[in-house]
Amino acid sequence: MRAIVCRELTGPSALRVENREPSEPTDSEVKIAAHAWGVNFVDVLMTRGGYQLKPELPFVCGLEGAGEVLDVGRTVTEYRPGDRVIYGMRPGAFAEVVTVASTSIIHAPATLDWEQAACFRSAFVTAYHGLVQGGRLAAGEVALIHGATGGMGLAAVQVAKLLGATVIATGGSEAKLDIVKQYGADHVVSYASPHFRETVRDLTGGADVVFDPVGGDVFDESMRCLNWGARIVVVGFTSGRAAEARTNHVLIKGASIVGVRAGEFARRNPEIGRKNLETVAEWAEAGKIQSHISHRFPFENVADAMTAITNREVIGRAVLHR
């Protein structure tokens, strides 16, 4: 089988496609023939040693994919050969055949094709966990979703709408935001507009929950358009700068700031984590949410996919296919 291997932490251009022997499943594992793979910004960071998880070199890249079950371990009863599944790994997903713990997979919703299924898991689970457990978003509240043209942000727009919120979505391009509006955002605001905080206040009076995978200046602006008791959900720092919260603003607004790591939360709270995954999968099965894919690349062109993400060319998700 082919696998995408990182042997040095010099970025995506150093990745290589290598031939490796797939492993056989242990009693609790499932062997999967992958059909497509979701590419994340985290994958880019790992190739540079810039993520908090630093696998020992060399390592197979990738966090998620989708494929068909080939074989199952002796104690696995919920999956069988031929099943369509979505899987997650930490890392190791970018291989044509993977062997995964049965607890790390889920049946793929029939409404999603291979590519949509491959990039479904991380974005929607993070969005759901961030808004529900992190932000405690309630129906009728205002959700300010930053980075809405990216994978997590576009997923958060859809989740927030299903939770009954009024959604203000932000992004850096008017053309990209036109697509975001198609996924349910009530209002879209470009970062190019000076002081988006004023636009948010004019539209709704302020935000009750802020979903922020961007950080930096965007976080700073958000602090100026909070309603009383607002919750700011910190998901990442794609701007390249981690923000420094002004605690006087937190105090005045009675606000709270919550850091969200969906994977770590699920490892520490496996029952809740599993329920989160099952909930978003049920929504997808019902046709209520879906992945938006703007860029598709052959498996061996993984560096091109990561470059597109780094250059902010992608709307929603980028995927690899056979």
Side-chain angles (χ1 to χ4, degrees):
M1 69 164 190
R2 296 184 302 165
I4 295 168
V5 180
C6 181
R7 290 190 173 273
E8 55 184 57
L9 301 177
T10 55
S13 62
L15 297 177
R16 296 292 180 266
V17 178
E18 300 182 5
N19 287 314
R20 293 194 167 195
E21 283 296 319
S23 60
E24 296 303 314
T26 64
D27 286 352
S28 60
E29 290 182 328
V30 176
K31 187 176 182 179
I32 301 165
H35 286 262
W37 304 262
V39 187
N40 294 277
F41 184 61
V42 169
D43 299 321
V44 181
L45 294 178
M46 281 192 179
T47 69
R48 299 172 178 161
Y51 190 61
Q52 57 259 33
L53 174 64
K54 295 177 172 58
E56 183 177 346
L57 292 170
F59 63 89
V60 176
C61 298
L63 301 179
E64 61 184 339
E68 183 179 347
V69 174
L70 294 175
D71 194 10
V72 301
R74 184 176 57 86
T75 62
V76 176
T77 59
E78 61 269 43
Y79 304 100
R80 60 184 181 182
D83 284 353
R84 296 176 73 252
V85 294
I86 294 170
Y87 66 89
M89 301 182 74
R90 196 174 180 255
F94 292 171
E96 292 180 318
V97 178
V98 295
T99 302
V100 188
S102 63
T103 54
S104 296
I105 67 176
I106 191 169
H107 289 285
T111 52
L112 305 181
D113 62 25
W114 286 123
E115 294 176 355
Q116 290 173 321
C119 60
F120 174 82
R121 179 188 178 110
S122 63
F124 279 99
V125 168
T126 301
Y128 185 88
H129 167 55
L131 292 171
V132 173
Q133 282 96 29
R136 308 186 307 282
L137 180 63
E141 291 190 313
V142 175
L144 176 58
I145 310 296
H146 291 311
T149 61
M152 280 193 297
L154 193 51
V157 167
Q158 296 176 67
V159 170
K161 285 303 297 180
L162 283 173
L163 293 173
T166 296
V167 174
I168 304 174
T170 67
S173 160
E174 295 285 359
K176 290 181 179 180
L177 286 169
D178 285 343
I179 293 176
V180 174
K181 198 150 191 179
Q182 295 173 22
Y183 283 83
D186 297 287
H187 309 282
V188 294
V189 180
S190 171
Y191 298 139
S193 303
H195 304 305
F196 70 76
R197 65 180 186 253
E198 295 175 2
T199 304
V200 171
R201 289 199 298 255
D202 290 343
L203 288 170
T204 62
D208 299 297
V209 173
V210 178
F211 184 89
D212 184 14
V214 180
D217 295 342
V218 168
F219 179 97
D220 297 342
E221 282 276 291
S222 299
M223 295 295 292
R224 300 298 189 97
C225 59
L226 302 178
N227 288 331
W228 171 259
R231 290 81 69 197
I232 303 177
V233 180
V234 178
V235 187
F237 319 102
T238 59
S239 67
R241 177 174 75 85
E244 297 181 5
R246 295 285 298 273
T247 53
N248 60 323
H249 294 162
V250 176
L251 174 66
I252 290 168
K253 290 295 185 176
S256 57
I257 302 172
V258 183
V260 163
R261 293 176 59 197
E264 186 63 25
F265 176 86
R267 284 184 287 277
R268 293 174 180 268
N269 305 273
E271 291 186 7
I272 302 175
R274 186 71 181 180
K275 181 61 179 174
N276 288 352
L277 180 55
E278 290 172 351
T279 296
V280 293
E282 288 169 3
W283 285 353
E285 188 72 56
K288 297 178 179 179
I289 56 176
Q290 63 175 323
S291 308
H292 179 86
I293 301 169
S294 67
H295 287 62
R296 295 167 170 83
F297 298 87
F299 181 74
E300 60 273 15
N301 290 5
V302 60
D304 293 337
M306 292 187 178
T307 299
I309 291 172
T310 303
N311 291 343
R312 304 185 187 278
E313 299 168 6
V314 174
I315 305 171
R317 298 300 308 272
V319 299
L320 306 176
H321 58 81
R322 282 184 176 272

